[in-house]
Amino acid sequence: MNLLDKYRSVRKRTEDICKPLQKEDYVVQPVVDVSPPKWHIGHTTWFFETFILKEHASNYKEYDENYNYVFNSYYETVGARVIRTDRGNLSRPTVDDIYAYRKYVDDAMPLLLENVQNPALDEVILLGLNHEEQHQELLLTDIKYILGNNPLFPAYDPSVATSSVGNGNAEMVNMPAGIYEIGFTGEGFCFDNELNRHKVYLQDYQISDELVTNGEYLEFIAAGGYTDFRYWHAEGWDWVKTNNITAPEYWYNINNKWQHYTYAGLKEVDEKDILNHISFYEASAYAAWKGLRLPTEFEWEAAAAKFIWGKRWEWTESAYLPYPGFTKAPGAIGEYNGKFMVNQKVLRGGSEVTSPGHSRVTYRNFFHPQLRWQYTGIRLAQ
Amino acid sequence: MNLLDKYRSVRKRTEDICKPLQKEDYVVQPVVDVSPPKWHIGHTTWFFETFILKEHASNYKEYDENYNYVFNSYYETVGARVIRTDRGNLSRPTVDDIYAYRKYVDDAMPLLLENVQNPALDEVILLGLNHEEQHQELLLTDIKYILGNNPLFPAYDPSVATSSVGNGNAEMVNMPAGIYEIGFTGEGFCFDNELNRHKVYLQDYQISDELVTNGEYLEFIAAGGYTDFRYWHAEGWDWVKTNNITAPEYWYNINNKWQHYTYAGLKEVDEKDILNHISFYEASAYAAWKGLRLPTEFEWEAAAAKFIWGKRWEWTESAYLPYPGFTKAPGAIGEYNGKFMVNQKVLRGGSEVTSPGHSRVTYRNFFHPQLRWQYTGIRLAQ
Amino acid sequence: MNLLDKYRSVRKRTEDICKPLQKEDYVVQPVVDVSPPKWHIGHTTWFFETFILKEHASNYKEYDENYNYVFNSYYETVGARVIRTDRGNLSRPTVDDIYAYRKYVDDAMPLLLENVQNPALDEVILLGLNHEEQHQELLLTDIKYILGNNPLFPAYDPSVATSSVGNGNAEMVNMPAGIYEIGFTGEGFCFDNELNRHKVYLQDYQISDELVTNGEYLEFIAAGGYTDFRYWHAEGWDWVKTNNITAPEYWYNINNKWQHYTYAGLKEVDEKDILNHISFYEASAYAAWKGLRLPTEFEWEAAAAKFIWGKRWEWTESAYLPYPGFTKAPGAIGEYNGKFMVNQKVLRGGSEVTSPGHSRVTYRNFFHPQLRWQYTGIRLAQ
Amino acid sequence: MNLLDKYRSVRKRTEDICKPLQKEDYVVQPVVDVSPPKWHIGHTTWFFETFILKEHASNYKEYDENYNYVFNSYYETVGARVIRTDRGNLSRPTVDDIYAYRKYVDDAMPLLLENVQNPALDEVILLGLNHEEQHQELLLTDIKYILGNNPLFPAYDPSVATSSVGNGNAEMVNMPAGIYEIGFTGEGFCFDNELNRHKVYLQDYQISDELVTNGEYLEFIAAGGYTDFRYWHAEGWDWVKTNNITAPEYWYNINNKWQHYTYAGLKEVDEKDILNHISFYEASAYAAWKGLRLPTEFEWEAAAAKFIWGKRWEWTESAYLPYPGFTKAPGAIGEYNGKFMVNQKVLRGGSEVTSPGHSRVTYRNFFHPQLRWQYTGIRLAQ
């Protein structure tokens, strides 16, 4: 696929994801980590306007200068105006306004791509498309949060599959000690945090070829896992107590039956499904209760050819840190990854709502350890 | 006007107020005191469904049982579900859903009114209509807050006048000491907090026949009123410091010119206009700076025939407390006023966005002393 | 007693109150409303140094210039130093340092009183002594809070009586409608908030000649008073829910017996004792449950000759507001009362830990409605 | 030194550290991370009572059962009592009470050591002594915080040296790529988090043989380092903005001179001294401004023989995570380290207030990235 076709395809998929939404669903921000869908629509557009059209398209006219601080990650005050601008408080620009902005930018891109031959430009466009694919996954998880925390439990779209039956037959894969090569290599796109490929020495270890299922996790709940501090990090235990955590996100015990919110509405929890929507603290406590542990991101990457992955983002023990030789790109693009490299945990794999072809074996996702609204799961190691 | 006509007229006015809105404007709740417009639309409808149709209309079928806890003031949890339900986080029911609910209830009312002759019923309907008129004013002030805190400063509707030129010629009215009758009397509707009419002894006092103007308040700002703690209550001073208050709500000093957000967008502050959008703390500090004070609600009511009122809600020195002999009505209707009678200040008068004919000389409005999004002003006394 | 003898007597009583304390007890501040005893010792001394010695004693040398911002109510930053100075975080000046400061000031006072004849000076000294008496009561209630919230429940001094048996035979006193004179009159000291004496018209009312007992309040608890929102102000109900309030301050249900912390340690609750340590919200809810109400401060003052008072500070329905003609004194002395006249409730009477002769029938105490660490009680009216 | 002599020596040093304190200094807790000195005195004693005397001394009688939840890390509620027990709010047990408790435990230890021959017991005692040495360093840093945040800036003890002149001649040490052995080996005590010794592959790197000085850091301040977000982690930038950070902890710019609080009181900052009291965020931002980075803990350990260390705890890039094969000991002792292995950064080295002989090249200290009250410094790598 050429770059323009790829551009059109990715941009269209974002809009397809939003098709089942009502306008009102585009607006709200029930918690700080969840952005309003209309913000995602505008922000991904702002990326192409700011880093590509305004920098490379000679006659390009900025759509609206105010959009810069509405869709930038950093809101700035203008003059002496001090304005509350939390994303979920902004009714304007409207959804229609933002789609018009989106169309305006999309209309300007083909002309640029036809007229400018520039490998550096292609690279930024590719970054923009991968950036948009990341926001596609966030769109799907944010929409789930918005609808799944609404007391009416409205369905989004039953056709988005997010359950997967495990094979119920997990086995430990043996991995010998030695030096392994870690990090991206070869052609194609990768993020800067996957570079540089480098040697890592691993002790011998074992890693499961299956993810933990709902049924296995229900045993942990039944055994009092949420009430025994010995399995938890000190900060995890505080989190459990402060938030009265007793089950994964979206799980409700109604009349002694566990139900959970899905894209098709409230459904009974299937014990054979792969577990989902748990925090790092819960993943780690579950592993401790089993007498096992989570793998490091290096152990995961070294063994990834030995098991099937891609259903859940898998919590690892590893903190999100720079690889040897990591350097930030100059300018705003350089803010992409490096500045988040503290207090977050690496997740590996991908999920059922990850954009097709977006992840790879060297891909590093990262979230704070208490967060649960992504499709997070558990793979055990020892 | 008969009751059905009155019903139709009030209900229509609510919808007219919302005509200039975009759907997105209906959804957001930028601060806790401001409700999303769609909540107002649903809540005022829920009032008629709950207290009139469900109680008095024999064949009435509830529209949707879930709406009870969405549009009630008190959200309840259902079973073991614990759901975050802050009003501004709810994208559903949608605006269209709520207007359909509204139509369903409005269609059921004429039938009831034709078939049931019941003065007690008429009284509750009249309460519902006055309740809706209160929400009309809140709708207008909440919309102003939603749009006026948006960085794009979108206009709402320039035709809603909210500025009034004072006559610049304030004089003190002399009122002799003695016993005055306070509280509602006569025919017609009043709220329970205006009853019972009772005697109050007032010392002799003077009260201004004009409200403070923007120009007069700018002198207070220029004289350093916001930086001298001597004019302020201790809690007011904390409020100024914590929130960096330097001017009324909606005022922005841009290039050394004072501008403020109005229904027509950002406009220059007119010194001749009556001051607006100040807290009780600011009103009290301004009066202290002038060597004067605010009137009590009794002083205001006793003198109200001597001046023009109705442009601004006027802060009084009085705390919101029950009148002698006040009793709560039994049941949910009794929650209307009594439970708020602590830590709030009485405002008297009415404003340019008060519904026509809604206020009267005995009317008691009340807000917490730090709030500014209503059309609040200052009348001085001594 | 001449002024110097009075000075010595009041100052000595403050030190006597602290005699049973360990040095550590002087230092802590478990909640913001409770000050460390050493701060009270220093602050009352600072009052005499600042408003009397520094202003009137010609050769007086300030003890330590740093003490001004340690013992003033307002902490100021010095230069660019930004220092956390919450009272309970300051280990220095030490208790011995502060007693040395106290002695230094006390040694300077007789000389001044012998040499200066000045009625205005006498007035400020009298204010300082009444101020110190107020801090004596705060010292006793703060000490109770410090020791009563310590898991060891150490006794302070069993000889400080704070329980009083009611006569169990409450009767309603009838008071006719009419004009009553309210506020201080005559010779002797009063605070500025008791002035000016003025006329108030009261409707006819009834007021109890006894305070509510523990036994009567236990009936309210047993009847589910803390779990039925109908008896509570909206803000009171929030307070109950947020803080899990189920009983008065210092009450603990241990093995199905109600015990409470007293100056003599943990003791069983005596049903015949007068109730104590309840918030305005609880007082009001109790009254609502009985179908009665709290008196206003004017009703209380008008009827005070008809009943015995002085065992508990009695919550009134009245908000703390200025009397007609109230003006703040110029300068720092003027900050004494006026700036607190918002969001607080008036209490009338006095308590068993009020300094002897300190209160009177026109005395106005005031606290925020949620506070409970004073000796607060309930008198009913209707 | 035999174990009993070692016990007496370590226990005596704790008391020596507290000799310059006033009783009041023992009580306060100005921020949550700083414990009152009397809590350290009691907690280190409780360790020996709980894990040694109560488990191994046959006739030992517990000193006071209430001390268990006062000096344990986890406060428990007893029966239905719900008591606020933040450490800085507890005036009891008094300092004298706690020293009496300390003496009681110290008197019981020799008897046990004479009568019981048990290598497992010796190991726990050794752990207790190393635990106490950690609290000795915390005592010194907590005392500095308590006095250094007091507006009187009282001196502690000028003889405790905490400044060190750098040699002003930093050079980069070259380290070749390869496999290095990391972790404790050999005889003697180590903490469980230093085990097991294992292979790590490092890329080639350079590491400075000197720590950053005050003078070098002043250049960063002068260059606007605190106002340019590009050098900071996103969370570090939030921390700077929220807390108005403009210099290291204890630094005050007075009349355009930088001064800082030391154990001898307020002193001018010496440009030649090694920098101190900075957060990980500041360390990382400084390195970014220099175009360099912080070393990982493995790079530090592998190169430690090539430079002098022990003046400052040195922030590393590494997150605090378990070494391969790490397992928690069963029971309460197992809570020592493992449960803190999330969201913290590893520090290596030691400081001038570290107990003599306490640290070693494999020693791993850890703190949250925003904390600054330890003797933290910067060593650069690339």
Side-chain angles (χ1 to χ4, degrees), chain A residues 238-294:
Chain A
D238 283 350
W239 171 80
V240 165
K241 288 296 175 201
T242 304
N243 301 286
N244 296 312
I245 305 292
T246 57
E249 180 82 61
Y250 301 123
W251 286 35
Y252 306 103
N253 197 316
I254 301 174
N255 301 328
N256 283 319
K257 280 252 161 82
W258 282 106
Q259 302 202 42
H260 64 151
Y261 177 77
T262 73
Y263 286 128
L266 214 54
K267 299 285 175 194
E268 201 166 322
V269 168
D270 183 341
E271 301 204 354
K272 297 204 187 98
D273 274 2
I274 307 175
L275 174 70
N276 203 356
H277 293 305
I278 41 91
S279 70
F280 168 79
Y281 297 127
E282 288 164 298
S284 177
Y286 176 82
W289 174 72
K290 294 291 278 189
L292 300 169
R293 63 176 176 82
L294 303 178

Side-chain angles (χ1 to χ4, degrees), chain B residues 353-368:
Chain B
V353 301
T354 305
S355 300
H358 178 73
S359 191
R360 62 201 146 261
V361 76
T362 59
Y363 197 96
R364 307 172 79 199
N365 203 350
F366 51 93
F367 283 99
H368 285 97

Side-chain angles (χ1 to χ4, degrees), chain A residues 181-213:
Chain A
E181 296 274 334
I182 297 295
F184 187 80
T185 185
E187 300 294 306
F189 176 85
C190 77
F191 283 107
D192 59 355
N193 63 6
E194 302 169 55
L195 299 170
N196 299 315
R197 189 161 174 89
H198 63 287
K199 293 188 174 66
V200 167
Y201 185 91
L202 298 179
Q203 327 304 314
D204 62 293
Y205 65 105
Q206 294 185 301
I207 188 164
S208 174
D209 66 351
E210 288 280 334
L211 295 169
V212 171
T213 63

Side-chain angles (χ1 to χ4, degrees), chain D residues 63-113:
Chain D
Y63 185 75
D64 185 330
E65 63 178 354
N66 290 312
Y67 283 24
N68 188 49
Y69 59 89
V70 173
F71 293 123
N72 191 347
S73 308
Y74 293 95
Y75 295 96
E76 303 290 337
T77 57
V78 175
R81 292 182 291 164
V82 178
I83 302 164
R84 293 181 198 84
T85 47
D86 295 324
R87 289 174 190 167
N89 296 335
L90 297 185
S91 61
R92 311 290 179 93
T94 65
V95 174
D96 289 345
D97 290 339
I98 297 170
Y99 275 115
Y101 171 45
R102 192 169 175 93
K103 183 165 188 317
Y104 178 87
V105 165
D106 284 351
D107 287 349
M109 286 292 289
L111 195 69
L112 174 70
L113 285 172

Side-chain angles (χ1 to χ4, degrees), chain C residues 162-335:
Chain C
T162 55
S163 70
S164 296
V165 175
N167 75 1
N169 197 15
E171 294 197 0
M172 282 292 184
V173 177
N174 287 300
M175 296 289 295
I179 290 179
Y180 291 85
E181 296 274 334
I182 298 294
F184 186 79
T185 185
E187 300 294 307
F189 177 84
C190 77
F191 283 108
D192 59 355
N193 63 7
E194 301 169 55
L195 298 171
N196 300 313
R197 188 160 175 90
H198 63 287
K199 292 189 174 68
V200 167
Y201 185 92
L202 298 178
Q203 328 304 317
D204 63 293
Y205 65 103
Q206 293 185 301
I207 188 163
S208 174
D209 65 351
E210 288 281 334
L211 296 169
V212 171
T213 64
N214 289 335
E216 290 169 318
Y217 198 77
L218 282 165
E219 291 173 33
F220 170 70
I221 297 177
Y226 281 102
T227 58
D228 188 336
F229 70 90
R230 290 176 304 153
Y231 305 127
W232 298 81
H233 288 94
E235 295 186 12
W237 187 241
D238 282 350
W239 172 80
V240 165
K241 288 295 177 203
T242 304
N243 300 287
N244 295 312
I245 305 292
T246 57
E249 179 82 61
Y250 301 122
W251 285 35
Y252 306 103
N253 196 317
I254 301 174
N255 301 327
N256 283 318
K257 281 252 162 80
W258 282 106
Q259 302 202 41
H260 63 152
Y261 177 77
T262 72
Y263 286 127
L266 214 54
K267 300 286 175 194
E268 201 166 322
V269 168
D270 183 341
E271 301 204 354
K272 297 204 187 99
D273 275 0
I274 307 176
L275 174 70
N276 203 356
H277 293 305
I278 42 91
S279 70
F280 168 78
Y281 296 128
E282 289 164 296
S284 177
Y286 176 82
W289 175 72
K290 293 290 279 189
L292 300 170
R293 62 176 177 82
L294 303 178
T296 67
E297 64 167 322
F298 307 121
E299 290 172 339
W300 190 95
E301 185 171 330
K306 313 272 175 110
F307 49 73
I308 291 164
W309 57 266
K311 299 299 189 187
R312 303 283 181 265
W313 285 105
E314 308 177 21
W315 287 110
T316 72
E317 181 63 44
S318 299
Y320 181 47
L321 294 173
Y323 280 176
F326 172 80
T327 47
K328 290 200 220 180
I333 293 286
E335 291 190 58

Side-chain angles (χ1 to χ4, degrees), chain D residues 34-246:
Chain D
V34 166
S35 293
K38 79 184 177 96
W39 186 86
H40 289 295
I41 302 295
H43 171 71
T44 49
T45 300
W46 167 89
F47 188 102
F48 287 106
E49 181 180 59
T50 303
F51 297 116
I52 290 155
L53 292 171
K54 282 167 73 175
E55 300 224 344
H56 297 275
S58 47
N59 293 318
Y60 181 76
K61 194 174 159 302
E62 186 175 20
Y63 185 75
D64 185 330
E65 63 178 354
N66 290 312
Y67 283 24
N68 188 49
Y69 59 89
V70 173
F71 293 123
N72 191 347
S73 308
Y74 293 95
Y75 295 96
E76 303 290 337
T77 57
V78 175
R81 292 182 291 164
V82 178
I83 302 164
R84 293 181 198 84
T85 47
D86 295 324
R87 289 174 190 167
N89 296 335
L90 297 185
S91 61
R92 311 290 179 93
T94 65
V95 174
D96 289 345
D97 290 339
I98 297 170
Y99 275 115
Y101 171 45
R102 192 169 175 93
K103 183 165 188 317
Y104 178 87
V105 165
D106 284 351
D107 287 349
M109 286 292 289
L111 195 69
L112 174 70
L113 285 172
E114 281 162 23
N115 293 338
V116 182
Q117 304 295 330
N118 178 345
L121 173 61
D122 288 4
E123 209 174 294
V124 184
I125 292 173
L126 214 50
L127 177 62
L129 295 175
N130 276 275
H131 169 257
E132 181 137 354
E133 285 176 340
Q134 291 184 314
H135 278 278
Q136 288 172 359
E137 182 152 9
L138 288 171
L139 257 174
L140 282 161
T141 54
D142 289 1
I143 290 166
K144 185 169 185 176
Y145 194 94
I146 287 165
L147 300 179
N149 281 284
N150 187 296
L152 308 182
F153 290 130
Y156 161 68
D157 180 356
S159 69
V160 179
T162 54
S163 71
S164 298
V165 175
N167 77 358
N169 197 16
E171 293 195 359
M172 281 295 185
V173 178
N174 288 301
M175 296 289 295
I179 290 180
Y180 292 84
E181 296 274 335
I182 297 294
F184 186 79
T185 185
E187 300 294 307
F189 176 84
C190 77
F191 283 108
D192 58 357
N193 64 5
E194 301 170 56
L195 298 171
N196 300 312
R197 189 160 174 89
H198 63 287
K199 293 187 175 66
V200 167
Y201 186 91
L202 298 179
Q203 327 303 315
D204 63 294
Y205 65 105
Q206 293 185 300
I207 189 164
S208 175
D209 66 351
E210 287 281 335
L211 296 169
V212 171
T213 64
N214 289 334
E216 291 169 317
Y217 198 78
L218 281 166
E219 291 174 33
F220 170 71
I221 296 177
Y226 282 102
T227 58
D228 189 336
F229 71 90
R230 290 176 304 155
Y231 306 128
W232 297 82
H233 289 92
E235 295 186 12
W237 187 240
D238 282 349
W239 172 80
V240 165
K241 288 297 176 201
T242 303
N243 300 287
N244 295 312
I245 305 292
T246 59

Side-chain angles (χ1 to χ4, degrees), chain B residues 86-130:
Chain B
D86 294 324
R87 290 174 190 167
N89 296 336
L90 298 184
S91 61
R92 310 290 179 93
T94 66
V95 174
D96 288 346
D97 291 340
I98 297 170
Y99 275 114
Y101 171 43
R102 192 170 175 92
K103 184 167 186 318
Y104 178 86
V105 164
D106 284 351
D107 287 349
M109 286 293 290
L111 196 70
L112 174 69
L113 284 173
E114 280 162 22
N115 293 338
V116 180
Q117 304 295 330
N118 178 346
L121 172 61
D122 289 4
E123 209 174 295
V124 183
I125 293 173
L126 213 51
L127 177 63
L129 294 175
N130 277 274

